[in-house]
Structure formats: structure tokens, C-alpha cells
Amino acid sequence: MVSPASAGPSRRTVLKSSAAGAVATTGWCSPSSAQGVAKAIFVLVHPAWLGGWCWRKVTPLLRDRGHDVYTPTLTGLGERAHLANPEISLATHVEDVVNVLEFEDLHRVILVGNSSGGMVITGVADRVPTRLAQVVYLDAFVPGDGQSLVDLLPPDRRQAMENLVKVEGQGWLLPRFAPLPPEKILRDSWGVTSDEDVSWALARLRPTPFRHFIDPVSLTKPAAADLGRVFIRCQQFLPGKHPAFDRHLAMARQTPGWRARAIETPHLPYVTHPAALADVLLDLATWSGSPSLPKVDDHKNRDGLPDHR
């Protein structure tokens, strides 16, 4: 798509802009920052086209509070793009994350997935539920048993993606989700408006094996249903025009064992609003994830945490 570029925004720039963003975007002090919480373990799963690099602004904000953070890159993407091949499947990407949990011997993990990363974390939760504390869908797809990502999209969207795979992806790669140029997708759809961020991301986006989108999730472990789950809706991403995410938010508001959040950010808050996202994740670290807790309507904010509206 584009050749690699120099490193992205500096740590000083990231932390400075993140601190400013926390005040401007959230306007509140996180309870976890004021009171302190026990060390949490976050595993952050990126979506299609991106890589573990995309979390660069958020990881220092969580680590500086004493938490552990892992940002695996899925096979065929990011710095692992050289491994791309037609055999890479959704199961491969699930295995990528499961291996991090097992080889690092991680337990009580807060597993976060954005967008198509929701497919991956659903599979991971089914594979190793005893290693997880919470499963967090950040503006992400929430599949049921036997569903693929394209099953959650309107039929015309699937057709457009299949055409891109055929014309530009050698029959097995999806270069982007729509015919629009990547820069226009970043700016107009995903809400990345900073020239620095756009340049940083464009240099690192890579085509994604299409099986990431068309392979179904298979759910086999009843224990996975006992995990606490959270859906976070990024309200500035096609509000009212993305039926899948709007349905998932409504489901989370109505289902015991789920929590719902809405934040005033675009679709990639770890790029555009890292401080606001970090605050939400830090608050989740104070929740046990027990599905026995009552469902939470984020409109009424009954758990005492800010709503980020």
C-alpha cells in the first residue's frame, strides 16, 4: 500500500497531547487515578489493516499507572506483514492472541478488541475463558456462534469487499473496507484528522487476509458465557449509520453480565483520543467483571462512573 516510514509521534508529544485530550474530551478525573487500583493486565487486539503499533499512544498511559499491557500483532499485518499468505484465517488470529496469553502465562486479563478485533477476542474468550477477567468490545463486532464478520454487515457491503479482494487483493487479501482511498477512509470515516497521525497510520496500514472477515466463529465452551463483557460505542463513528455497532450497544444495555459505555470519539480512539480511552480502560480495571452484577444503563450512570457523553 505504502512503504514504511519513520517512527510515529514521539512519547513526549503523545503524553502531552493525551493529557490535554483527557481534560478536553472527558472533563473529569478517573476514580482509578485518584484512588489507585491493583495491577491489571490488558491485552489490546487491533483490527484489520492495523497492527500492534496502533496502541502506541495508549500503552504508556496504562503502564504509567502500574498496569501491564500487551499489544500483539496479528499474523500478516504490521511488522508481521511478511508472513501474509492465503492460508491465514480467523483461527490463525485467534491463535496469535491465545499464544500470548499462554506463553506469557497471563491470568485475569482484560481483553480488548476494536472493530474486526471483536471477532478475534470472541474466539479467544471461547478458547481460554479461565485466563480472562473481562472481554471488552471497543466499537467492535460481537458475533454469535457460527457467524462471520460479513454476516453482520449489509449484503451490499459484503459485495463491495469481495470485489476489492478480486480486483486488488489477488483473490485473498482485502486492501481496505471500501473503494475510497485509504487517506479518505482515515479522515472521513475513521475521524483521524491530524496530518501527523494520518501520515503515521498510512505508512503502516496493510491488506488483511480475507478469511479474517469470512470465517465463522465457533463457540464451544459454556464457561465463556460467564465472563463479564463490555461494549464501548464510539459515538462519532457513523452515529445511527452503523447498524451492527448500534445493535451491539442496545444489546449490551439490556443483557445481564454486560456493561455499556458511550464515548464521544471517532472509531480509533487510541489514535485520536488516547487519554479518554485510557480513562475508560482504567475504570474497567476496578470492575470485577462478575456477570452477577446488574446490567448497567450508561444513560443513567448507575455505577457512579462517568458516561463520556
Side-chain angles (χ1 to χ4, degrees):
M1 184 174 292
V2 281
S3 59
S6 58
S10 68
R11 177 181 170 86
R12 177 178 297 178
T13 300
V14 168
L15 293 179
K16 182 177 180 180
S17 63
S18 297
V23 174
T25 306
T26 68
W28 60 280
C29 178
S30 163
S32 57
S33 64
Q35 301 171 6
V37 296
K39 183 168 76 171
I41 300 173
F42 293 94
V43 174
L44 311 178
V45 179
H46 66 84
W49 306 293
L50 280 65
W53 56 266
C54 71
W55 304 98
R56 181 178 297 182
K57 294 184 182 183
V58 172
T59 52
L61 301 178
L62 300 176
R63 288 171 178 155
D64 286 351
R65 301 291 180 88
H67 303 303
D68 289 342
V69 187
Y70 297 81
T71 58
T73 291
L74 305 177
T75 302
L77 294 161
E79 73 276 12
R80 307 182 69 207
H82 62 290
L83 299 175
N85 68 77
E87 301 305 314
I88 293 173
S89 64
L90 179 62
T92 306
H93 291 163
V94 169
E95 192 74 20
D96 287 333
V97 180
V98 168
N99 282 346
V100 171
L101 301 180
E102 292 185 338
F103 279 78
E104 297 291 343
D105 197 22
L106 304 181
H107 296 272
R108 299 293 299 165
V109 168
I110 299 175
L111 180 64
V112 182
N114 171 234
S115 199
S116 71
M119 306 298 297
V120 178
I121 64 174
T122 300
V124 173
D126 187 74
R127 281 279 304 278
V128 288
T130 59
R131 290 185 177 271
L132 305 180
Q134 300 179 53
V135 185
V136 182
Y137 294 83
L138 174 62
D139 230 23
F141 292 93
V142 185
D145 185 30
Q147 286 187 315
S148 67
L149 189 153
V150 293
D151 291 332
L152 303 175
L153 297 175
D156 60 333
R157 173 59 59 194
R158 175 172 186 160
Q159 184 62 54
M161 294 166 73
E162 289 175 345
N163 288 341
L164 281 169
V165 171
K166 180 179 180 180
V167 174
E168 299 182 30
Q170 306 170 58
W172 62 276
L173 283 169
L174 183 63
R176 55 197 179 279
F177 77 84
L180 298 171
E183 181 171 357
K184 191 169 182 63
I185 290 174
L186 276 167
R187 292 184 182 275
D188 296 348
S189 296
W190 293 345
V192 181
T193 57
S194 160
D195 290 342
E196 182 181 16
D197 287 340
V198 169
S199 296
W200 175 54
L202 278 177
R204 292 163 174 79
L205 298 177
R206 294 294 183 271
T208 301
F210 196 40
R211 290 184 62 184
H212 177 90
F213 304 89
I214 62 175
D215 284 357
V217 167
S218 178
L219 305 180
T220 62
K221 289 188 174 64
D226 294 332
L227 291 168
R229 297 176 192 255
V230 182
F231 190 85
I232 302 172
R233 181 69 168 102
C234 298
Q235 294 286 72
Q236 293 178 18
F237 179 55
L238 304 177
K241 298 180 181 179
H242 204 299
F245 294 164
D246 294 334
R247 286 196 307 270
H248 297 331
L249 177 63
M251 175 277 300
R253 285 173 170 162
Q254 300 167 6
T255 305
W258 279 81
R259 284 191 168 194
R261 288 286 179 274
I263 56 177
E264 285 296 334
T265 74
H267 189 50
L268 311 181
Y270 38 84
V271 174
T272 61
H273 295 74
L277 176 59
D279 278 348
V280 172
L281 296 179
L282 289 166
D283 285 326
L284 293 179
T286 69
W287 178 43
S288 69
S290 169
S292 62
L293 292 174
K295 64 184 179 183
V296 175
D297 183 338
D298 59 0
H299 285 299
K300 298 180 180 179
N301 198 24
R302 290 183 298 205
D303 59 356
L305 299 180
D307 189 20
H308 293 275
R309 287 187 179 274

